[in-house]
Amino acid sequence: LITFTKEGVATSEDNAGGADWSGRRCPVTTRGRRADQASGVSKPDPCVSLRNPDFRWYACVGVFGLRWIFFARSRSFWLSLGLLVVSGMVDNVSVVVRSTLLQLRTPEHLLGRVSAANQIFIGSSNEIGAFESGVATRLLGAVNAVVLGGLVTLGVVGVTAWKFPALRELDELT
């Protein structure tokens, strides 16, 4: 654990992560801090806690699903473009919350295995999703397949919120 003292001297017990000035464990890398301190550059604290991550996570994935439904029905190029921008924003928030949960809530002795399994599923999800989308488009047509994808996303959000109360009750990620 990298610990910073008020004098700016770092000591390292292991390289598992960083810590802020109070000694909190921080998933953000702290390599650039020494250079910032030496140059006098003031930057925001990289170890900021995320309050109500459960709400943000569910809201972002829900907006992602709704966005697919509106995108499928849109006849305006500019509206579709705006919906794609919103999609990227909410997907990014969802990825950050999911990645932070993985790093902070997995026991250290299992972190490598869990991360490896996570990478396998994320890496293969594009290919599996492309196959599924192709089959759905062939059977339902493009617009109906996209609307169905949005509805399934909303259903997964609802079932996850209902079946996993621990995710619903997350208070803060630091």
Side-chain angles (χ1 to χ4, degrees), residues 54-103:
D54 56 340
F55 172 75
R56 287 185 176 101
W57 194 18
Y58 289 130
C60 286
V61 177
V63 168
F64 188 78
L66 285 173
R67 198 256 343 140
W68 277 117
I69 295 167
F70 291 126
F71 180 79
R73 297 292 182 197
S74 172
R75 300 265 185 227
S76 164
F77 170 78
W78 295 108
L79 176 60
S80 298
L81 183 64
L83 289 168
L84 287 174
V85 169
V86 169
S87 172
M89 292 186 317
V90 296
D91 186 41
N92 195 21
V93 172
S94 171
V95 167
V96 168
V97 171
R98 191 175 61 239
S99 301
T100 304
L101 270 172
L102 179 80
Q103 291 177 13

Side-chain angles (χ1 to χ4, degrees), residues 106 108-119:
T106 303
E108 286 195 33
H109 69 281
L110 295 176
L111 190 56
R113 292 176 185 165
V114 172
S115 294
N118 184 52
Q119 288 301 320

Side-chain angles (χ1 to χ4, degrees), residues 141-163:
V143 172
N144 290 335
V146 174
V147 170
L148 178 64
L151 292 172
V152 169
T153 301
L154 293 174
V156 168
V157 169
V159 168
T160 303
W162 173 50
K163 287 287 193 179

Side-chain angles (χ1 to χ4, degrees), residues 135-147:
V135 170
T137 300
R138 176 81 173 155
L139 296 175
L140 304 172
V143 172
N144 290 335
V146 174
V147 170

